[in-house]
Amino acid sequence: MNKKTVKKGLVPYVFLILLMLGVFYFFNVMNQQVNVLTYDELISALEKGEATEVVVTPRTRASIYEVRGKLNTYDENETFYARIPLSAPVMESILNAYDTHHFTLDTEADPDSSTFLLVLVNVLPIILIGGLAFFLFSKQMGGANRSMDFGKSQAKLSTDRNKVTFQDVAGLKEEKEEVKELIDFLKNPKRFQRLGARIPKGVLLVGPPGTGKTLLARAVAGEANVPFYYISGSDFVELFVGVGASRVRDMFKQAKHNAPCLIFIDEIDAVGRQRGTGLGGGHDEREQTLNQLLTEMDGFGANEGIIVIAATNRADVLDPALLRPGRFDRQVTVGLPDVREREEILQVHARNKVLATNVNLKNLAKRTPGFSGADLENLLNEAALLAVRRNKDKITMSEIDEATDRVIAGPAKTSRKYTDHEKELVAYHEAGHAVIGIKLKNADDVQKITIIPRGQAGGYTMMLPKEERYFATKTELLEQITGLLGGRVSEELHFHEVSTGAHNDFERATKIARSMVTEYGMSDLGPVQLEQQEGGVFLGRDYNKTRNFSNEVAHEIDIEMRKIIDECYNDAKKVLKENEDLVDLIAKALIEHETLTKEEIDYLVEHKELPPGEEENVSENVSMQGLKQKAKELGIKGYTKMTKEELEEAIQEKELEK
């Protein structure tokens, strides 16, 4: 625990104790009754022998004796007090009475003769009052200083702790070359100046979330031997107008003192959005901050040796003045990794993982198209967590397969029970998707089929492209739509009824068909772009689409979409009717084993049966989960640590007992 916290926690208790002592002392004093006696009354009491206790204190500065004590006629809390001049023979009277009546007599030293007490009484109050005044003044000045720091830059100077270098950034070969040039310039500027080259003042890293923009900037900080300041775009913007602009000025002022240096602004779209779109017109806080940033990057003042790196995934909403040459001269697109880069990323994140010998990262990279670097890191971490949960000492392909499914569709819901009819319906639905993928030439490869519910899906068929491609042909898009419609067609052919299970399939198929008609020019309407995505600058999302057509054309778009969907639906129906036996074969295998892998599907298509000796091992994870669920329902203790054979034996014994 923090010592300061302990001290702060003790302060109330100390204050309470002092308060209680003060109250006790106050009531004790209030209960004391003091009788003030004259000189004659004191002498009379002494001569009569009424005194039981007498204390004499000389006060030379006041030229008096202070006499205190008790009389035998007093109560317990009752005392007397007398002030007698030094010239009076009081001491002689007290001593004579003492010799006669033998009461308790005591004398105290003159307090006025003690220098310490003199200082304590006269100087200490002044010191206490002065200290209190100084404390209050310091508190006020501290608040004023904090108010003055409100407009200071929030940028933090990078340290060597948790240092990231280019070795920690897998893939991004071209992107690393772009930013390496900045580091070379900072280390050896004469090499560039000799040919009259001007290094970019700003580099904008653009790309989807999780692709490594911030990681790349951290690697620049690790590689550069220059000061590196980093800040988020939201750190500039505050409630009060002018604070953000002040922080921008202070940040560049600090950077000038440490030039050459780098400044990294993460999520710059928080402050760099287009001007004139906010509710505050041209005078709101964000726009003033942006104006100051534009001026600092390329205004009348010179910022030689300062390079700004910024990251965003919404470059479309940035102000054009921010992207012009002289400010962010260069845009570096950090896109999703390809298969080679995914393998390198997996190798980086597998450094601290204990992998089994059967784990092939190259094959895993092929099975994860569209995954970002953050997705791949999460995949391996989920696999590691599953291995720990299963009490394994290594991460096997079983955990990686399950982790892939969890990342794509969520955890398996083993507690959700299908009816026999629902299970058969889902099996034929997924078999329809799979057969379309198997039989159509340009369709995606079927990698896995499962009817185990995950997330919102009752089951799913994992289909991946045969090879990564940057463009899609019309035939490929049509066959993709056909594959999406295969599940509904299979339901209709085998059950003569339809279910709600194709909801997501229709959503994706309709989106592809509309894009073909309105954006890609792949219909009878011709090569015309009728719609385009429009980013809502103020809303910050793609809120609507720009329509460049009349109501008549809108009707024609609906007709063309309907034509595409109908043609693909008929094609799916034709393929499934021709391969009805294969649909039945895959559906029955799914009903029995619930999950089929690519190898099992290929063997099943070729030999009309599952691989010999593999039937018991198909979907081993799912079988184990089912056994554990049954053991839990039967109340078997310690079932989580049992093997498959032990679980089956324990379940059998429990059922025999019942």
Side-chain angles (χ1 to χ4, degrees):
M1 187 180 291
N2 194 348
K3 293 183 179 179
K4 292 184 178 179
T5 306
V6 173
K7 290 179 180 178
K8 289 181 179 179
L10 290 176
V11 168
Y13 296 102
V14 173
F15 178 76
L16 181 62
I17 292 171
L18 292 175
L19 181 63
M20 292 175 64
L21 290 174
V23 171
F24 177 77
Y25 176 76
F26 174 77
F27 281 104
N28 190 34
V29 171
M30 291 295 293
N31 290 332
Q32 292 286 342
Q33 182 178 350
V34 180
N35 299 313
V36 180
L37 302 181
T38 64
Y39 175 74
D40 293 335
E41 290 173 341
L42 174 62
I43 297 301
S44 175
L46 290 172
E47 290 177 349
K48 292 178 181 179
E50 296 177 354
T52 59
E53 180 182 339
V54 176
V55 179
V56 181
T57 306
R59 303 296 297 267
T60 55
R61 292 174 64 89
S63 301
I64 60 170
Y65 287 110
E66 288 184 351
V67 183
R68 303 186 305 278
K70 289 187 177 181
L71 303 180
N72 54 16
T73 58
Y74 285 177
D75 295 333
E76 183 179 357
N77 294 328
E78 192 174 2
T79 61
F80 69 82
Y81 174 78
R83 293 167 60 90
I84 311 299
L86 288 177
S87 58
V90 65
M91 288 304 299
E92 296 177 5
S93 302
I94 292 174
L95 290 173
N96 292 332
Y98 174 75
D99 292 336
T100 304
H101 302 289
H102 303 290
F103 52 82
T104 303
L105 178 62
D106 193 11
T107 59
E108 293 181 351
D110 185 1
D112 295 336
S113 63
S114 173
T115 306
F116 174 74
L117 289 176
L118 182 65
V119 172
L120 187 66
V121 173
N122 296 285
V123 179
L124 185 61
I126 299 175
I127 295 175
L128 291 176
I129 294 172
L132 180 62
F134 179 77
F135 174 74
L136 295 175
F137 182 74
S138 299
K139 292 286 287 183
Q140 291 295 326
M141 288 301 295
N145 288 335
R146 284 193 294 272
S147 300
M148 296 294 289
D149 290 341
F150 197 62
K152 296 292 184 181
S153 171
Q154 304 295 309
K156 301 175 180 64
L157 186 62
S158 177
T159 62
D160 290 333
R161 289 179 299 176
N162 302 322
K163 186 176 181 180
V164 177
T165 63
F166 284 139
Q167 293 181 352
D168 301 310
V169 183
L172 304 179
K173 182 178 179 181
E174 293 79 9
E175 292 82 353
K176 285 190 284 188
E177 288 297 328
E178 292 287 337
V179 294
K180 274 182 181 179
E181 192 175 59
L182 305 178
I183 300 172
D184 292 340
F185 173 79
L186 293 169
K187 291 181 177 179
N188 187 15
K190 293 182 180 179
R191 177 188 170 197
F192 295 84
Q193 293 169 354
R194 183 169 55 86
L195 298 178
R198 178 184 62 80
I199 202 70
K201 292 185 178 180
V203 175
L204 185 65
L205 305 178
V206 183
T211 51
K213 299 184 294 296
T214 304
L215 182 66
L216 184 61
R218 290 179 62 193
V220 173
E223 294 285 344
N225 293 321
V226 295
F228 184 92
Y229 294 92
Y230 60 96
I231 190 171
S232 171
S234 59
D235 288 334
F236 291 112
V237 183
E238 288 288 352
L239 175 64
F240 304 106
V241 176
V243 173
S246 175
R247 289 179 176 176
V248 171
R249 286 192 296 270
D250 188 65
M251 181 180 69
F252 277 90
K253 181 180 178 181
Q254 293 181 29
K256 289 175 186 176
H257 289 307
N258 294 283
C261 67
L262 291 166
I263 297 174
F264 174 62
I265 305 175
D266 199 7
E267 303 298 343
I268 194 174
D269 53 279
V271 69
R273 292 174 180 265
Q274 293 182 22
R275 289 167 291 182
T277 57
L279 294 177
H283 301 284
D284 65 343
E285 161 67 355
R286 184 186 58 77
E287 293 194 5
Q288 285 201 20
T289 306
L290 174 58
N291 291 337
Q292 187 63 43
L293 182 62
L294 296 174
T295 304
E296 292 289 347
M297 288 190 69
D298 188 26
F300 279 102
N303 287 324
E304 295 297 333
I306 300 176
I307 296 176
V308 182
I309 303 176
T312 182
N313 52 16
R314 291 302 310 269
D316 56 314
V317 303
L318 294 180
D319 194 277
L322 199 61
L323 304 178
R324 74 159 176 81
R327 289 187 177 127
F328 283 104
D329 307 73
R330 183 179 298 173
Q331 290 191 33
V332 178
T333 301
V334 185
L336 293 171
D338 58 20
V339 61
R340 177 186 55 80
E341 292 174 330
R342 288 198 299 274
E343 183 181 355
E344 293 177 4
I345 293 171
L346 288 169
Q347 289 172 352
V348 168
H349 293 302
R351 289 175 184 172
N352 62 340
K353 306 289 191 302
V354 183
L355 301 178
T357 54
N358 67 335
V359 175
N360 190 325
L361 296 180
K362 186 174 183 179
N363 290 340
L364 181 58
K366 292 179 180 178
R367 291 170 49 190
T368 51
F371 277 45
S372 66
D375 292 330
L376 295 172
E377 189 275 335
N378 186 43
L379 188 151
L380 288 182
N381 185 62
E382 285 286 343
L385 293 174
L386 286 170
V388 173
R389 199 176 301 166
R390 296 173 180 177
N391 296 318
K392 292 187 177 182
D393 56 355
K394 291 183 179 179
I395 302 171
T396 65
M397 280 304 298
S398 173
E399 285 75 43
I400 290 180
D401 285 339
E402 175 65 18
T404 305
D405 293 339
R406 290 170 72 93
V407 172
I408 293 175
K413 299 192 176 182
T414 54
S415 60
R416 182 186 294 176
K417 297 296 181 183
Y418 279 138
T419 63
D420 292 339
H421 176 69
E422 285 179 330
K423 191 172 185 179
E424 187 178 7
L425 184 68
V426 174
Y428 272 94
H429 180 102
E430 300 302 332
H433 287 307
V435 171
I436 297 292
I438 293 169
K439 292 301 178 180
L440 293 184
K441 179 181 178 181
N442 295 301
D444 294 340
D445 260 351
V446 180
Q447 298 289 327
K448 185 177 183 179
I449 316 172
T450 179
I451 58 173
I452 300 173
R454 287 182 181 272
Q456 298 297 320
Y460 75 95
T461 301
M462 182 188 292
M463 301 176 68
L464 302 176
K466 295 181 175 65
E467 58 183 14
E468 291 199 38
R469 50 183 182 260
Y470 293 98
F471 306 100
T473 64
K474 181 178 180 180
T475 303
E476 291 169 347
L477 291 175
L478 290 173
E479 292 192 358
Q480 190 175 349
I481 296 174
T482 305
L484 290 169
L485 299 175
R488 167 57 68 87
V489 173
S490 181
E491 292 178 19
E492 186 178 348
L493 290 176
H494 292 275
F495 297 97
H496 305 290
E497 64 176 354
V498 293
S499 71
T500 59
H503 172 270
N504 183 251
D505 298 333
F506 291 159
E507 181 182 350
R508 293 162 61 191
T510 305
K511 185 176 180 180
I512 296 172
R514 188 169 189 88
S515 297
M516 290 177 66
V517 176
T518 62
E519 296 182 45
Y520 307 145
M522 295 179 178
S523 69
D524 293 340
L525 294 180
V528 180
Q529 188 180 50
L530 301 171
E531 288 181 347
Q532 62 183 14
Q533 299 288 344
E534 183 179 76
V537 177
F538 179 62
L539 296 175
R541 296 183 61 86
D542 290 338
Y543 188 70
N544 55 8
K545 289 185 177 182
T546 301
R547 294 180 43 158
N548 298 319
F549 49 83
S550 62
N551 292 333
E552 290 78 8
V553 175
H555 179 64
E556 293 182 25
I557 291 173
D558 293 338
I559 294 174
E560 291 297 321
M561 286 176 58
R562 172 64 61 187
K563 185 190 299 184
I564 291 173
I565 296 294
D566 288 344
E567 288 178 358
C568 292
Y569 196 88
N570 292 330
D571 290 343
K573 187 176 291 188
K574 179 181 178 182
V575 172
L576 294 182
K577 280 184 177 179
E578 293 174 353
N579 298 277
E580 191 171 350
D581 293 340
L582 182 58
V583 174
D584 290 334
L585 186 64
I586 294 176
K588 289 176 181 177
L590 281 172
I591 293 170
E592 182 179 357
H593 302 292
E594 295 186 329
T595 299
L596 298 176
T597 64
K598 176 176 172 53
E599 294 75 16
E600 293 160 355
I601 296 168
D602 292 342
Y603 194 93
L604 187 64
V605 171
E606 185 176 353
H607 300 90
K608 308 304 178 186
E609 62 179 0
L610 288 172
E614 293 285 334
E615 288 86 347
E616 297 82 2
N617 297 324
V618 173
S619 188
E620 181 180 353
N621 295 335
V622 177
S623 301
M624 282 294 291
Q625 290 171 349
L627 289 172
K628 288 181 179 179
Q629 180 65 27
K630 193 165 187 178
K632 182 180 179 181
E633 293 172 355
L634 293 172
I636 298 173
K637 296 182 179 179
Y639 68 92
T640 57
K641 298 182 179 179
M642 293 182 182
T643 62
K644 185 176 181 181
E645 292 75 14
E646 292 172 342
L647 276 171
E648 291 173 341
E649 185 177 349
I651 291 171
Q652 187 176 6
E653 290 178 358
K654 199 73 174 179
E655 289 176 340
L656 287 173
E657 289 177 6
K658 290 188 174 182

